[in-house]
Amino acid sequence: MPSYLLECCVDSVESALNAGLGGADRLELCSGLVIGGITPTLSLYEQIRRHTALPIHVLIRPRFGDFLYSEEELSVMEKDILTFRRAGAQGVVIGCLQADGTLDLEAMKRLMAAAEGMSVTLHRAFDMCRDPLEALEQAKQLGVHTILTSGQADTCIHAIPLLNQLCRLAGSSLTILAGGGINADAVRLLLSCTALTAFHMSGKKILESAMRFRNPHVSMGLPGMSEYEIWRTDPESVRAVRRLLR
């Protein structure tokens, strides 16, 4: 029987604790999950580490947007990796593309050198690349341990043929970590139709802000989004997936 991995993406101490309560095996730590995640602060990492022994893989993404990075941005990313490596994080989650949609091999090599001794996940920049099969082979050559992917679809359940192909080509050298729309229903389907053994979810639940006074004339959030909503990992959503993986 295969051994399954359940990773939860979290951007707060509360979500990290809820992920642990639900049975997560590992955390992907970021900030700003509402914009797809950016690099978290060291303070957030340290606070979560005080409360859990779960392995923590840190997202290294200096800004919202594409994965085409300037020299200045790569320098920041490199220093962030070194910082979290010294702090004891078990892994980093990275991804760099060139303007033509191919994997930026030189940038990846540079960041992976900074992450020496850590587990490396190629994040969903993989889903934005021009040729996923080429990128998979390049990731194997680089020594990447994990590829986080929705199969280049809006949600992973819409990419089962490609996910199966990626699993076959990955072999034993790296893990295909399915992400994008992962919940109990999606995992139930993926377990029946694929060879996937690793799943990535946020299990988010939207909570209402405790603010009683709200200025209706000013918005500090993204257009169309309320700053009076808080995204938080729901332990029951995580637990529902964990039960399936047992």
Side-chain angles (χ1 to χ4, degrees):
M1 188 173 185
S3 176
Y4 293 106
L5 173 77
L6 178 57
E7 176 181 89
C8 280
C9 184
V10 301
D11 63 357
S12 68
V13 177
E14 292 83 358
S15 284
L17 296 178
N18 285 349
L21 287 173
D25 299 303
R26 186 171 77 201
L27 304 176
E28 183 200 286
L29 178 61
C30 66
S31 286
L33 189 54
V34 69
I35 55 170
I38 55 175
T39 306
T41 64
L42 179 61
S43 298
L44 178 59
Y45 168 83
E46 290 175 338
Q47 190 73 0
I48 290 173
R49 177 49 73 218
R50 291 188 185 100
H51 292 288
T52 181
L54 286 176
I56 299 176
H57 288 191
V58 180
L59 177 66
I60 306 296
R61 186 184 180 208
R63 57 164 170 78
F64 168 76
D66 64 34
F67 304 105
L68 178 63
Y69 295 116
S70 68
E71 171 60 31
E72 288 77 12
E73 288 171 328
L74 285 170
S75 180
V76 170
M77 296 166 77
E78 190 175 31
K79 291 174 182 175
D80 281 337
I81 290 172
L82 292 171
T83 295
F84 286 108
R85 178 179 159 191
R86 286 192 293 266
Q90 284 83 7
V92 289
V93 183
I94 60 175
C96 307
L97 299 179
Q98 299 195 84
D100 64 358
T102 58
L103 206 58
D104 188 335
L105 299 179
E106 293 308 310
M108 289 292 293
K109 288 175 184 176
R110 177 175 169 183
L111 297 184
M112 290 184 69
E116 183 181 3
M118 305 174 80
S119 179
V120 175
T121 296
L122 170 57
H123 60 46
R124 292 186 64 196
F126 179 86
D127 288 327
M128 308 302 287
C129 73
R130 187 177 62 190
D131 184 340
L133 303 186
E134 177 187 54
L136 171 66
E137 291 305 316
Q138 291 173 331
K140 289 167 71 173
Q141 292 166 15
L142 287 168
V144 167
H145 301 97
T146 301
I147 295 177
L148 170 61
T149 179
S150 64
Q152 296 203 322
D154 55 345
T155 65
C156 54
I157 63 171
H158 295 153
I160 286 174
L162 179 56
L163 289 171
N164 271 323
Q165 189 176 12
L166 293 172
C167 284
R168 287 195 301 271
L169 294 173
S172 59
S173 60
L174 60 75
T175 298
I176 300 300
L177 175 63
I182 291 292
N183 56 30
D185 289 338
V187 169
R188 189 176 291 109
L189 176 63
L190 293 171
L191 288 175
S192 68
C193 297
T194 74
L196 290 162
T197 59
F199 303 90
H200 169 99
M201 68 183 298
S202 65
K204 62 181 177 292
K205 183 177 183 180
I206 298 177
L207 305 178
E208 185 72 9
S209 167
M211 286 294 298
R212 294 190 301 276
F213 173 75
R214 303 183 182 190
N215 187 340
H217 306 296
V218 179
S219 174
M220 302 295 289
L222 293 171
M225 298 193 71
S226 170
E227 57 265 41
Y228 298 109
E229 294 179 347
I230 299 169
W231 289 22
R232 183 80 38 86
T233 295
D234 175 26
E236 288 306 317
S237 296
V238 179
R239 192 171 290 120
V241 173
R242 178 80 273 167
R243 281 195 291 265
L244 291 171
L245 301 183
R246 289 192 179 120

